[in-house]
Amino acid sequence: MAWEVVVGIETHAQLLTRSKAFSGASTAFGAAPNTQACAVDIALPGVLPVANRATVEHAIRFGLAIRAEIRRRSIYARKNYFYPDLPKGYQISQYEQPIVQGGELKIIVEGREKSIRLTRAHLEEDAGKSLHEDFHGLTGIDLNRAGTPLLEVVSEPDLRGAQEAVAYARALHALVVWIGICDGNMQEGSFRCDANVSVRRAGDANLGTRCEIKNLNSFRFMERAIEYEARRQIALIEDGGRVEQETRLYDPERDETRSMRTKEEAHDYRYFPDPDLLPLVVSEEDIEAIRRSLPELPAARRDRFAREYGLTPHEAGFVAASRAAADYFEALVKASGAEARLCANWQMGELAAALNQDEIEISKSKVPAKDLAGLLGRIADGTLSGKLAKEVFDAMWAGEGAADAIIEKRGLRQISDAGAIEKLVEEVLAANPKQVEDYRAGKEKAFNSLVGQVMKATKGKANPTQVTEILRRKLAR
Amino acid sequence: MSSLHNASVAELSAALAAGKVSSVELTRMFLDRIAGLNGELNAFITVDEARSLADARRADARRARGEGGPLAGIPLAHKDIFCTRGMLTTCGSKMLANFASPYDAHIVERFDQAGAVLLGKCNMDQFGMGSSSENSHFGPVRNPWDRRLVPGGSSGGSAAAVAARMAPAATGTDTGGSTRQPAALSGICGLRPTYGLVSRYGLIAFASSLDQAGPMAKSAADLALMMNVMAGFDPRDSTSLERPKEDYTRDLEPDLAGLRIGLPKEYFGEGIEPGVRGAVEEAVRWFETRGAALVALELPNTALAVPVYYVLAPAEASSNLARFDGVRYGHRAKDYDDLVDMYCRSRAEGFGAEVKRRILVGTFVLSHGYYDAYYLQAQKLRRLIARDFAEAFKRCDVILGPTAPTTAFAIGAKADDPVQMYLNDIFTIPAPLAGLPALSVPCGFDAKGLPVGLQLTGDCFSEARLLGVAHRYQQATDWHLRVPTETPL
């Protein structure tokens, strides 16, 4: 019996603002504990929240990018619960009337585009941090993060399986970074996902009971957690059991999810409109101004790359995976004068491998676009063979300088002088009468061997196309 | 000097300006009266003489340089609900009995900038919850007119301080009547401004959508002087209104002829003590003789105001008071087993019975499954109550009635019957639900010799008119000049 895994994702994206959601304190990461928590953040008696305009603009920017409805009037609400790192005893969020409603995000799974519906996106503030280590049985509280602005983005349960879920999370991550509302730093917690996972038998119209999986702080963990959770639920049902609605925590050490709290233990958050904050009203002018300031968006840029540069959907999706990658690609094409496909192949091949190897972002690449363009230019004009170009790239990555300098220093310039190659070929033919005989007797293998001899004699620098052509001509006689 | 403690703020300001008295002398005089009377009346929680006198010296120096407005050098007291740097801010509770605020409330700043002298912090029902000022961790406040009685609440310390001439004026807050009802029961004047006119920044929140700071003083003219300092936009309070600056003394002597006074039949129904009814009706007749037009009105949803208020205010309070958890400041229980136990014990010990009652009610009405039936329903009814007023103000300029159905009652008389206590606010609760300004001024005495308060309610931003109408009344009457006979010195 086939099973279908149904996933919806809730994402908390930390909004890129200088000050907090409802106070003037700094949002910078990494300061000494409790040095970036002002009177409002620590909830002194009598203090009041004031909404940060930049958070609203970011939410609108996001809403426009996913073609959602921007509510002209949305409501801040209080979500009430007690916890030591929640100083007010409530979190300011949006509940019944979020600023962004609906929308869609296009993802590419196995070269195929799929549209994922979004339920909503709303503004809220983060809590502080409880530090359970290093305090000898006590709990330390750091309120630097308290009040940091978040955009919570909720998808519909449109995702089928872990792979789609990860594709969605990556696309959402790329988008929020692309439009400049989030730095996307997952290590620092700027982009956090929870997954609602359920399973059902293929063809079943009803959704199964879902479990919410928390603590998915990397795409890899997300994939593994969903896969584990789906296996767990399927096994449970196949054994005649029932999935209970609950919140589960993913443990990457043991690669499993375990129950955190059941539905019965769930909080009653007693949401109600925050009387300290007026309804959030946005004007048409504000929305239009933000619309005009939006950059070309991922899907549009992907389509344009496919159209203008003749890339396959897969290639376009890869080089436009992030705004930085797309900018790199266009800079590379422009500066190198090389064919776009060659540029895409290099960005997807050598460059991506090197970036992965060293775990660095493309924006911080050791070989910037204009330098890589210098290298590709030498391939395009025949100076370098593909094989030698890879050697030059490795040297560039190692910091040995620009492509031309490395080519000169190592004497890697390709030999394309027809006279010189012809002379070499004659020498090789004279030295290898047996292979020549074999070839003429119809053994194609012997030809390859002869090419290899010529290349060997030039330490790989001879233009292989020319070598092949001259060799054939000579042997034909 | 001997009569100066009975002088109005306006008179004291004139005396300071003329150099007839210094702020230090005035401050010393009021500090002496506090020292003499506070033991019995318990109107103040904190007094800091050195600080008061330092404020006074600065004010005198300012006046000597020819600087400072009308309030420069005027001593006054703040309700202990306003955060005050360098001094305890207890909110009348054990929870904050040790709390020293690192910042000043907006209105504390404003009075400082105006050069006013802070005499001390006034006692109150803890967290503003009560109508008698009995619910204080620091003991009940006593009514200067009869020490066996309550002064009203929750700003009862402020009211008693002004009534007993321990301060010429004080600040209060009004969520459901807490400036007006104690003003009425203590024989002074109190104003609740339009919601949003005075910043709530630094006012320890009880019910955010209703809380408003207001002045308390001996005359309407003094309330106007104080409003000139208190009102104004504050970007730190998102509900603060951005409006042009207003002079609240600009229209103190309006022509009463043709003034349309609305008399809601609901404000003159059953349950009003005869002494209160008599005094208020006499005031109505006075206005009539001055040419005012009396307009019979109905405010049909008046009876819903108390139940609506006792859903909404506790709902907001249950959330506002969640921050008092013993984690960062305030009371923390000595012994506890774990985190939840620390919360429970700290809050059980730190909050009084009335505060707990309201937190319980508020938590209940916001709970899953009850929200629609209580909170949402109350919000709808709140709009109906506001609509009643909007309809009424098409037909009249001010609405007149008693501030409270009774005069001051005995300490302990209603302490065990919260509903009876709540009903004492039946006439003061509607205006806050509609966000409207209202004031209370003395209008006579009952057979027991206790003061009666007259309430005037106006449309949004009609403070200047309300103050003018009240001032006209006070030019012709001397109820506000009567001094409690039990007040010595």
Side-chain angles (χ1 to χ4, degrees):
Chain A
M1 190 69 190
W3 291 88
E4 185 173 53
V5 180
V6 177
V7 185
I9 303 281
E10 289 175 22
T11 307
H12 288 91
Q14 181 179 324
L15 293 172
L16 203 51
T17 58
R18 281 196 299 273
S19 59
K20 292 189 177 173
F22 300 103
S23 84
S26 168
T27 53
F29 181 81
N34 298 308
T35 55
Q36 285 178 180
C38 70
V40 173
D41 303 323
I42 66 174
L44 284 182
V47 297
L48 296 168
V50 177
N52 179 343
R53 188 184 175 92
T55 64
V56 178
E57 289 170 351
H58 282 347
I60 294 172
R61 197 162 285 131
F62 178 75
L64 292 173
I66 59 163
R67 290 190 285 172
E69 177 200 343
I70 310 295
R71 264 183 205 276
R72 300 323 193 239
R73 187 176 187 276
S74 61
I75 304 288
Y76 288 110
R78 292 185 184 179
K79 179 180 181 177
N80 295 284
Y81 64 96
F82 283 94
Y83 205 68
D85 59 24
L86 186 74
K88 294 188 293 293
Y90 59 84
Q91 176 195 30
I92 303 176
S93 181
Q94 294 189 309
Y95 186 53
E96 284 181 327
Q97 297 177 44
I99 183 160
V100 174
Q101 189 88 57
E104 59 167 2
L105 187 66
K106 291 203 167 71
I107 64 171
I108 294 181
V109 188
E110 290 171 344
R112 186 173 49 83
E113 192 174 77
K114 181 173 176 180
S115 180
I116 306 302
R117 292 170 303 155
L118 294 167
T119 314
R120 58 187 279 161
H122 67 253
L123 289 164
E124 62 181 32
E125 58 176 342
D126 210 343
K129 246 190 248 174
S130 293
L131 308 162
H132 299 291
E133 292 160 16
D134 307 331
F135 289 95
H136 312 289
L138 299 175
T139 297
I141 305 290
D142 178 3
L143 296 178
N144 282 354
R145 206 180 63 185
T148 296
L150 302 175
L151 187 70
E152 179 172 338
V153 182
V154 183
S155 87
E156 290 287 306
D158 280 359
L159 301 157
R160 298 291 172 266
Q163 211 193 339
E164 281 193 15
V166 171
Y168 165 84
R170 285 188 186 278
L172 183 63
H173 181 267
L175 178 65
V176 294
V177 175
W178 189 293
I179 61 177
I181 66 170
C182 176
D183 68 15
N185 190 325
M186 294 177 83
Q187 283 78 46
E188 292 174 5
S190 298
F191 187 89
R192 316 194 282 269
C193 294
D194 302 330
N196 283 298
V197 180
S198 65
V199 298
R200 64 180 170 189
R201 291 183 196 275
D204 198 337
N206 297 322
L207 291 173
T209 303
R210 69 177 191 272
C211 290
E212 184 181 5
I213 317 298
K214 291 201 173 284
N215 196 29
L216 309 175
N217 50 21
S218 78
F219 296 127
R220 193 165 58 96
F221 289 166
M222 173 186 281
E223 186 163 7
R224 285 164 55 183
I226 294 170
E227 279 168 357
Y228 171 87
E229 179 60 18
R231 280 198 306 274
R232 185 188 74 87
Q233 292 185 13
I234 291 166
L236 193 62
I237 297 169
E238 286 182 341
D239 285 354
R242 261 179 45 195
V243 176
E244 298 293 335
Q245 187 176 332
E246 61 184 353
T247 303
R248 298 177 70 86
L249 200 67
Y250 178 64
D251 180 349
E253 300 284 314
R254 314 173 75 167
D255 188 23
E256 63 179 31
T257 65
R258 58 170 181 270
S259 184
M260 201 168 122
R261 57 174 177 263
T262 62
K263 196 182 175 187
E264 284 68 34
E265 295 165 318
H267 291 290
D268 179 354
Y269 290 119
R270 291 173 284 120
Y271 281 99
F272 74 108
D274 191 334
D276 285 332
L277 292 160
L278 299 174
L280 177 58
V281 176
V282 295
S283 69
E284 301 303 319
E285 295 77 50
D286 287 342
I287 293 172
E288 283 317 305
I290 292 166
R291 195 192 300 279
R292 283 194 299 274
S293 76
L294 276 178
E296 186 183 21
L297 295 171
R301 204 161 184 189
R302 223 157 45 214
D303 292 349
R304 182 168 63 78
F305 280 6
R307 205 173 54 241
E308 270 181 26
Y309 300 120
L311 303 184
T312 66
H314 175 68
E315 288 166 344
F318 191 97
V319 297
S322 71
R323 195 170 168 184
D327 288 346
Y328 191 100
F329 175 72
E330 290 211 291
L332 187 59
V333 171
K334 206 172 156 197
S336 67
E339 212 184 309
R341 290 296 289 275
L342 179 71
C343 295
N345 284 337
W346 271 80
Q347 190 168 334
M348 294 168 71
E350 296 306 306
L351 180 68
L355 291 169
N356 274 345
Q357 176 78 32
D358 289 6
E359 291 182 1
I360 51 182
E361 301 289 324
I362 195 163
S363 59
K364 298 187 180 80
S365 172
K366 291 178 186 175
V367 178
K370 69 168 173 43
D371 291 359
L372 184 57
L375 177 62
L376 301 194
R378 292 294 162 264
I379 298 172
D381 68 12
T383 306
L384 280 181
S385 67
K387 189 162 170 269
L388 287 177
K390 283 173 186 162
E391 185 187 330
V392 175
F393 177 81
D394 289 342
M396 290 169 76
W397 193 261
E400 288 180 28
D404 284 344
I406 293 166
I407 292 166
E408 280 314 316
K409 204 166 79 184
R410 300 196 175 185
L412 297 177
R413 190 172 293 278
Q414 183 165 266
I415 299 168
S416 301
D417 177 343
I421 294 174
E422 203 160 323
K423 195 164 163 260
L424 270 168
V425 167
E426 278 165 5
E427 282 169 25
V428 166
L429 291 180
N432 295 281
K434 174 145 177 30
Q435 273 84 349
V436 173
E437 204 175 305
D438 286 353
Y439 175 77
R440 289 198 170 127
K443 289 188 182 169
E444 189 63 24
K445 251 186 180 172
F447 183 78
N448 291 339
S449 165
L450 290 168
V451 172
Q453 297 283 341
V454 179
M455 294 309 285
K456 193 178 169 190
T458 60
K459 297 196 180 87
K461 286 185 284 187
N463 184 325
T465 315
Q466 280 179 301
V467 171
T468 306
E469 185 210 304
I470 291 168
L471 205 50
R472 291 239 187 251
R473 181 155 43 82
K474 296 268 179 205
L475 286 167
R477 282 185 200 144
Chain B
M1 279 283 285
S2 63
S3 66
L4 268 182
H5 61 264
N6 283 320
S8 69
V9 171
E11 287 161 349
L12 293 176
S13 183
L16 284 167
K20 287 181 185 158
V21 67
S22 71
S23 176
V24 169
E25 288 169 318
L26 277 184
T27 302
R28 186 72 262 166
M29 177 186 75
F30 283 110
L31 287 172
D32 288 346
R33 290 186 64 82
I34 294 169
L37 289 165
N38 199 49
E40 286 186 59
L41 297 177
N42 202 23
F44 284 85
I45 293 171
T46 303
V47 176
D48 180 347
E49 294 205 350
R51 176 187 166 138
S52 305
L53 291 167
D55 280 0
R57 281 191 292 275
R58 265 198 305 280
D60 281 335
R62 250 172 103 167
R63 289 242 182 219
R65 290 195 303 271
E67 298 166 12
L71 271 284
I74 300 291
L76 53 80
H78 286 311
K79 185 177 183 178
D80 208 19
I81 202 167
F82 294 109
C83 287
T84 314
R85 193 164 43 191
M87 200 180 250
L88 288 178
T89 299
T90 71
C91 223
S93 70
K94 181 177 179 182
M95 182 57 85
L96 291 178
N98 62 358
F99 178 68
S101 172
Y103 78 101
D104 279 332
H106 178 76
I107 68 150
V108 171
E109 276 177 5
R110 296 286 287 240
F111 278 112
D112 268 358
Q113 286 156 11
V117 173
L118 178 58
L119 288 169
K121 306 290 293 290
C122 288
N123 203 351
M124 54 183 283
D125 284 306
Q126 55 182 288
F127 292 101
M129 299 179 186
S131 309
S132 65
S133 299
E134 293 167 286
N135 302 329
S136 168
H137 173 63
F138 302 91
V141 184
R142 292 174 181 276
N143 193 318
W145 294 87
D146 181 338
R147 276 144 218 221
R148 295 164 301 179
L149 309 183
V150 304
S154 66
S155 313
S158 301
V162 175
R165 308 322 195 222
M166 297 154 86
T171 56
T173 59
D174 190 314
T175 305
S178 284
T179 57
R180 294 161 288 151
Q181 185 260 14
L185 270 51
S186 301
I188 65 159
C189 303
L191 169 69
R192 173 198 168 82
T194 305
Y195 184 78
L197 219 50
V198 179
S199 168
R200 292 184 295 116
Y201 191 79
L203 184 176
I204 298 177
F206 158 17
S208 311
S209 76
L210 297 156
D211 293 343
Q212 237 335 254
M216 302 174 80
K218 296 191 291 291
S219 70
D222 284 359
L223 296 180
L225 282 173
M226 291 178 74
M227 274 302 284
N228 279 351
V229 174
M230 296 171 78
F233 175 65
D234 176 10
R236 296 171 299 186
D237 175 0
S238 303
T239 62
S240 173
L241 297 162
E242 226 170 332
R243 310 185 74 243
K245 196 169 162 54
E246 224 181 301
D247 177 6
Y248 292 94
T249 65
R250 71 180 186 277
D251 195 18
L252 281 178
E253 299 190 358
D255 190 353
L256 296 180
L259 179 77
R260 299 173 302 165
I261 297 179
L263 302 172
K265 79 169 201 264
E266 293 80 6
Y267 289 12
F268 293 89
E270 281 174 26
I272 300 169
E273 285 182 354
V276 171
R277 184 190 297 273
V280 172
E281 285 175 352
E282 198 174 313
V284 171
R285 281 192 292 279
W286 181 86
F287 279 107
E288 202 175 10
T289 63
R290 303 299 293 252
L294 304 182
V295 181
L297 284 180
E298 284 185 28
L299 296 171
N301 293 298
T302 299
L304 294 172
V306 170
V308 164
Y309 177 88
Y310 279 101
V311 169
L312 297 181
E316 294 182 19
S318 70
S319 176
N320 281 334
L321 271 62
R323 68 187 57 197
F324 305 112
D325 56 7
V327 174
R328 300 169 312 289
Y329 52 78
H331 178 73
R332 183 191 291 182
K334 275 203 171 57
D335 301 305
Y336 46 86
D337 298 331
D338 57 18
L339 175 67
V340 171
D341 194 42
M342 184 191 88
Y343 285 151
C344 292
R345 286 175 192 263
S346 300
R347 288 166 66 82
E349 293 168 12
F351 292 138
E354 183 60 26
V355 173
K356 287 178 199 164
R357 183 178 294 123
R358 296 196 194 187
I359 290 174
L360 287 172
V361 169
T363 303
F364 176 77
V365 299
L366 289 176
S367 298
H368 185 71
Y370 297 96
Y371 179 86
D372 288 4
Y374 291 98
Y375 182 83
L376 216 55
Q377 187 71 3
Q379 287 288 28
K380 288 177 189 162
L381 295 175
R382 182 176 185 174
R383 283 194 284 278
L384 290 184
I385 290 163
R387 196 194 296 166
D388 277 1
F389 279 110
E391 287 300 315
F393 287 121
K394 289 177 184 168
R395 301 178 52 210
C396 69
D397 303 310
V398 297
I399 290 172
L400 185 152
T403 305
T406 71
T407 53
F409 46 89
I411 290 174
K414 301 186 183 194
D416 297 327
D417 190 345
V419 174
Q420 273 311 303
M421 188 74 91
Y422 298 167
L423 287 173
N424 209 255
D425 294 334
I426 189 160
F427 302 131
T428 52
I429 280 176
L433 289 173
L436 300 174
L439 58 74
S440 178
V441 293
C443 69
F445 290 84
D446 71 359
K448 291 173 279 186
L450 296 172
V452 176
L454 173 79
Q455 178 172 246
L456 298 172
T457 305
D459 209 348
C460 287
F461 313 120
S462 67
E463 284 80 0
R465 171 187 274 161
L466 292 178
L467 291 164
V469 171
H471 181 66
R472 272 291 191 210
Y473 177 69
Q474 293 188 323
Q475 283 178 316
T477 58
D478 69 349
W479 308 117
H480 64 294
L481 301 176
R482 305 280 181 93
V483 180
T485 46
E486 283 195 32
T487 306
L489 292 174

